[in-house]
Structures are given as C-alpha cells and as structure tokens.
Amino acid sequence: MLFKTRSAAVYGIDAHIIDVEVDFSGVKLDQENFSTVGLPDAAVRESRDRVRSAIKNSGFDLPPTRITINLAPADLKKEGSGFDLPIAVGILGAYGGLAIKDVSDFVMVGELGLDGSLRAVQGMLPIAVAARAAGIRNLVIPAANAREAAVVQGVNVYPVNSLLEVRELLNSAELGGITATPLAVDTQALLGDVQEYQADFRDVRGQHVAKRALEVAAAGGHNILMIGPPGSGKTMLAKRLPSILTPLRFEEALETTKIHSVAGVLNKDEGLVTHRPFRSPHHTISDAGLIGGGMIPRPGEVSLAHNGLLFLDELPEFPRNVLEVLRQPLEDGTVTISRAAMSLSFPARFMLAAAMNPCPCGYYNDKSRDCMCTPPMIQRYVAKVSGPLLDRIDIHIEVPAVQYKELRSGTAAEGSAEIRARVLAARDRQHARFLESGARTKGSSKSASRAVFSNAQMSTQQIRVHCELASEAERLLERAMQQQGLSARAHDRILKVARTIADLDAANGIEVRHIAEAIQYRTLDRSYWA
C-alpha cells in the first residue's frame, strides 16, 4: 500500500516542499527492510532506526516487511533529521494506523526520539514560508519550533510533542475537524516591545568626536573604523553602538530570523529576532566561519549580522585572506558560496564597525607614551588591512586616549536615548525620501535585502539624485579629492556620509559644513602614518 505525506528541505535560507512516499510490499520477511531513495544524506538514512524504535515504543506493531521510502523530487539532496516525522506518519498510514487517508494539506517536520518524542530541527521559519507559498494550510512541528513558525501569517501551526499526539491530531481532522487550536504569535507586539540595553553611551567619558562619528554611522548605516591606542575606549564605544540603532522593521526581522533559524542560533522562546544582531567574532576565525561554507553551505558571521552590526576588534590581527572575503558582502550585501553540488546566496547587508591600534605596540601618535615600533614594523602591521577594504569603510575616526580630567569629570554625558532620537529622525527622513523617489517599488518581487533603508545603501544613480552639491561645496570636495588623492569609491562614500550629516541637521540640501565634516571622517586618506 502507498501512503504520501509532505515535508520540506531547506537550501540556503529558502525551503522546498518535499513529497514523502511510503510503500510496503506486503510480503513478510524475517525483519523489517527499510530502503530510502531520493538523494538522502547520512542523517536521513539513519532515520530508519529512529523511526522503527519510535513507532514500536509508541505502542504500534510494525510487521516485518519491505518498506520503500521515496523523497521527491529525487534530484534534490535531502539532509537532516526533520524527515523522521513524515516518514513515521507515512508508515502508520501505509499500515492502516491512521483514520485519515489524505494528508496533502499538512506539512510535517521533526526529529523523533526513540521513545516517540519530537525534537526541534533547524530552519523552521523558511519551511513555514514555503508551506504558505505552496498553499498548504497546516504545519505540524515540534513544540520547540512552534513560535518561530507561527510568525508567518496564513499557516496554521500545530505544536506537538510526540508521535501519538500527531496521530490524534490527524485522526481528529478526518473524524470531525481539527480540535486543537493553532498557535498564534502577535508579531507587532514583539517588535513593539521597548528595547533596553545595559550598555549606554552615558557611561562613556570624553570621546566627543568619536561619539559624533558613531551617531553619523548609525544614522546612515555607514561602516566605521576606529583607530587608537589600547584603553582609549574603542571596544566600549562599539558595544554601545547597538543602543542607538533603529528598531527592526518587520520585513527585516523576518529575513534576519530566517538566517538565524537555518544556522540554529535562534532563541526558541522568542520565535522572532526583534533586536538588530550584534556579532563580534574572534580574530582567529576562519574565512569559512566568517563568510559561511560547508559541504551544504551554511551562513557565516557576516550573514548572522544581516540587518545588524558586525564588530571586528583588533582588525589587523585577522588573517588577510579572512579580511579580503569581506569585499563582496560590503559592496553587494550578499554572499554567494559555490560548491560542486550547488551554489547558494545568503543575505549579508550589515553595518561594519572595526577597531585597530595604529601600530603593533599601540602608541603611535600617542602624546602620553612613546612608540617603540620601527617604520618597517608599522608598515607591515598596517599592510595587513588592504587599501580596497579600507576604501569600503565610509568613516575612519581617530580615538585618542582619554585625559584624566575627562575621566573624573562630574558632567553628565549624553545618553543613548537622546542620540537614538536624532538617529531615528534622520532615518525617517531617509525612508520617506527613498519611498518618494521610488527606491522601493510597490509590489516588487525583490527581497527585503535589495530594498534601500539607509543612505549607505544608495546606488550610484541615487547618489546623483539625492547628493547634489552647491558650487561652494563642489569646490571643497574637488580640492579634497585632488590633495588627498581619493578614489572614486571614496568620493561616493563622502557624499553618502555628507547626506547623512545633512539629515541629522534636518537640512534639505548638502551644505559646505556637511561636506567638510564628511571629509574629516577619512582619517586614513590623510596619510595618518606619515
């Protein structure tokens, strides 16, 4: 007898519906004979042992016959333990253990324990999105995955804890309609919660120029590099940067949650990423750990930081080959990982914050301590960060050592709440401007990763439209380009930063003072180590 169930497989951050066909021969053998076809990986092939024990320990009798399981379409590789549940339900249906004969309106995913209990799997949010896109109304999944799937509207999510509960749920659908209540999650309430941060800019003494630069970076989504001696507060400033970032929009939160779900780092109690991610990998990370990789490609740190902040402390300590792989995501906002079997793309539109010492000992240009490094040592240290990578960082700012009077000052510093209010006002102006100019076309099929949310994401055409300069500002930028030998990419970065500074000033046009401040944020272009 043949019985069909439906499941899903995740590739990248998207899922595909998989038909699970179970057939048994009816000829009794000495023991059960499982055969799984359809490009299963080792975890799927091992499911026969988990499924056999789960069925028997749930109180069902499994006659010794030949069982053939086909995962269609057969040309897509299937991996993971999420096929345990649909295979077990298919076997129960084939042997007559279910009252319902048609479960085509159910997608079932979950790993089975030997006692018949259900365990969580990765990538449940993309599966829920795929089920809705395929017009399948019901999703039967482990209770631990329920909240992340329930954020998708238009799908009935039924959390279950065991194979017996799944059988009762399916039989109730056949006998008189599903009696269980699907889980509902109020996504607007989740995103509307007040975000509180323990780290606040009020704790930072001095560093007014650096705090201003971080405000500009947050307002426009610009990449920033802080250069200064040890103990000047670079890491302290970076850890407080999330406290002034704008809240996630729903489309951003959904795409970010899909990445975290696939990577298996999503908090199951929340179900939706409601704060902008803050990722701070150690400098010993590999290029695959940063950019993503594996036989079946998985997202790396740059994708986990999507719509959030990636902080790289001690930038020159990262291997050069690791830093160079940042070029594509910084420029395109995506990462493409190619393997012999497949090629997958992950969103990677993040704000980069990096920190570095000016030399190996850290005290070059420091007024309080002498630098012990020779020019060749400094040159080798600085050369670890390539020019093309520095060119992709909008703001370079010097963070000098804090003076004693500033540390002991009783004057209250400005807190994150005040700074964030100005950042939000500037972002609102940007969002309204891009909507008005058609940067985000209504009804577009493009993903949220291609939408423009900040000045840093402007294309070359949008720079020409939104960054027009008056004659005096034009002359100032021309002198800076000629005197400092700036590249065309640096030219665009200055215009984007100037546009953000104008937005913070609530100015319609870019004025001379905005261009002047933006030029000052190109420290490394002004021969810092000369």
Side-chain angles (χ1 to χ4, degrees):
M1 181 178 177
L2 178 66
F3 195 90
K4 296 181 180 181
T5 61
R6 308 185 91 173
S7 188
V10 178
Y11 300 93
I13 63 169
D14 298 315
H16 299 274
I17 300 299
I18 302 296
D19 292 325
V20 181
E21 303 172 338
V22 179
D23 179 71
F24 75 96
S25 64
V27 179
K28 291 189 176 181
L29 306 174
D30 294 336
Q31 61 181 3
E32 303 98 23
N33 188 329
F34 275 67
S35 177
T36 306
V37 297
L39 286 183
D41 72 344
V44 179
R45 288 193 297 269
E46 289 174 354
S47 67
R48 62 179 179 268
D49 299 316
R50 293 191 297 269
V51 169
R52 179 191 296 115
S53 298
I55 290 177
K56 290 184 176 180
N57 290 327
S58 297
F60 301 102
D61 185 24
L62 188 61
T65 58
R66 178 176 179 80
I67 300 173
T68 303
I69 300 162
N70 179 42
L71 306 176
D75 59 341
L76 289 178
K77 187 171 181 60
K78 321 302 185 304
E79 66 163 357
S81 57
F83 292 99
D84 289 4
L85 179 59
I87 289 175
V89 171
I91 292 174
L92 291 179
Y95 281 104
L98 294 177
I100 189 171
K101 303 304 178 186
D102 182 9
V103 292
S104 59
D105 204 22
F106 291 84
V107 168
M108 289 171 274
V109 183
E111 177 185 334
L112 282 173
L114 299 184
D115 59 351
S117 61
L118 277 174
R119 296 169 180 160
V121 296
Q122 298 177 6
M124 194 58 70
L125 180 59
I127 291 173
V129 173
R132 181 181 63 181
I136 303 174
R137 296 180 299 171
N138 304 307
L139 190 60
V140 181
I141 58 175
N145 289 125
R147 285 189 64 84
E148 67 172 287
V151 302
V152 179
Q153 303 297 318
V155 178
N156 299 322
V157 176
Y158 295 100
V160 288
N161 294 294
S162 67
L163 182 58
L164 285 174
E165 287 187 23
V166 176
R167 178 176 179 267
E168 293 175 2
L169 177 70
L170 296 176
N171 284 341
S172 69
E174 177 69 14
L175 297 177
I178 300 177
T179 56
T181 302
L183 179 66
V185 173
D186 189 349
T187 56
Q188 296 302 320
L190 288 175
L191 291 174
D193 290 343
V194 177
Q195 300 180 3
E196 297 181 356
Y197 297 88
Q198 294 182 349
D200 194 285
F201 271 101
R202 198 176 303 278
D203 305 326
V204 180
R205 298 294 180 179
Q207 302 297 9
H208 302 293
V209 175
K211 289 173 69 174
R212 167 65 176 178
L214 289 172
E215 178 182 340
V216 173
H222 302 288
N223 303 321
I224 184 170
L225 172 62
M226 295 175 284
I227 311 160
S232 60
K234 303 184 297 294
T235 304
M236 183 181 187
L237 287 164
K239 289 183 177 180
R240 281 152 180 77
L241 188 52
S243 66
I244 63 173
L245 297 179
T246 58
L248 280 172
R249 302 178 188 273
F250 178 73
E251 55 267 32
E252 292 178 301
L254 191 63
E255 191 168 32
T256 304
T257 305
K258 288 172 67 176
I259 299 172
H260 285 233
S261 176
V262 169
V265 298
L266 181 65
N267 187 334
K268 305 300 181 184
D269 295 330
E270 295 181 356
L272 186 71
V273 175
T274 57
H275 292 65
R276 293 193 179 275
F278 178 83
R279 307 293 298 185
S280 180
H282 193 260
H283 58 73
T284 56
I285 192 173
S286 65
D287 53 353
L290 185 64
I291 212 74
M295 290 293 293
I296 302 295
R298 295 294 186 188
E301 289 292 331
V302 296
S303 295
L304 293 174
H306 180 60
N307 290 323
L309 178 67
L310 178 68
F311 175 50
L312 301 182
D313 201 4
E314 304 296 343
L315 189 64
E317 299 300 329
F318 285 80
R320 179 155 183 162
N321 67 301
V322 173
L323 293 179
E324 291 307 300
V325 299
L326 285 173
R327 291 193 193 183
Q328 182 195 1
L330 285 175
E331 196 71 25
D332 302 333
T334 60
V335 170
T336 301
I337 304 173
S338 298
R339 296 291 181 265
M342 65 181 65
S343 178
L344 295 176
S345 294
F346 295 103
R349 178 169 285 179
F350 56 90
M351 178 180 165
L352 175 65
M356 63 179 288
N357 296 330
C359 66
C361 76
Y363 296 106
Y364 180 79
N365 273 351
D366 189 8
K367 298 178 180 179
S368 60
R369 298 187 63 171
D370 294 332
C371 175
M372 307 300 295
C373 304
T374 63
M377 292 171 59
I378 298 175
Q379 183 62 33
R380 283 193 300 270
Y381 180 78
V382 175
K384 293 180 180 180
V385 185
S386 68
L389 179 60
L390 290 175
D391 225 16
R392 287 169 167 82
I393 300 178
D394 304 358
I395 298 175
H396 314 150
I397 189 69
E398 185 178 0
V399 184
V402 183
Q403 300 299 315
Y404 177 81
K405 291 184 179 180
E406 293 179 322
L407 284 174
R408 301 298 299 169
S409 173
T411 305
E414 189 176 35
S416 296
E418 295 83 355
I419 300 174
R420 190 181 192 188
R422 296 194 295 269
V423 169
L424 286 172
R427 281 295 185 103
D428 287 341
R429 279 188 282 273
Q430 295 168 45
H431 186 60
R433 181 166 60 245
F434 296 137
L435 282 177
E436 182 180 354
S437 64
R440 300 179 63 197
T441 305
K442 294 183 178 179
S444 173
S445 60
K446 293 183 179 180
S447 66
S449 64
R450 295 183 181 274
V452 177
F453 293 104
S454 63
N455 287 332
Q457 299 169 358
M458 285 192 294
S459 65
T460 303
Q461 292 180 341
Q462 291 164 348
I463 292 175
R464 294 194 185 103
V465 173
H466 302 302
C467 300
E468 293 184 354
L469 301 179
S471 57
E472 190 174 350
E474 189 78 53
R475 288 193 295 272
L476 177 60
L477 180 58
E478 182 181 3
R479 287 199 302 272
M481 291 284 295
Q482 293 174 348
Q483 294 174 4
Q484 300 179 22
L486 302 180
S487 66
R489 183 179 284 116
H491 166 270
D492 289 351
R493 304 286 177 183
I494 290 175
L495 288 177
K496 291 179 181 180
V497 173
R499 178 67 266 176
T500 299
I501 297 170
D503 289 334
L504 286 169
D505 283 351
N508 293 326
I510 299 177
E511 302 176 10
V512 174
R513 67 178 188 274
H514 303 145
I515 286 288
E517 183 177 353
I519 293 172
Q520 293 304 309
Y521 292 145
R522 302 294 300 184
T523 298
L524 300 188
D525 295 328
R526 300 198 306 271
S527 301
Y528 178 80
W529 283 278

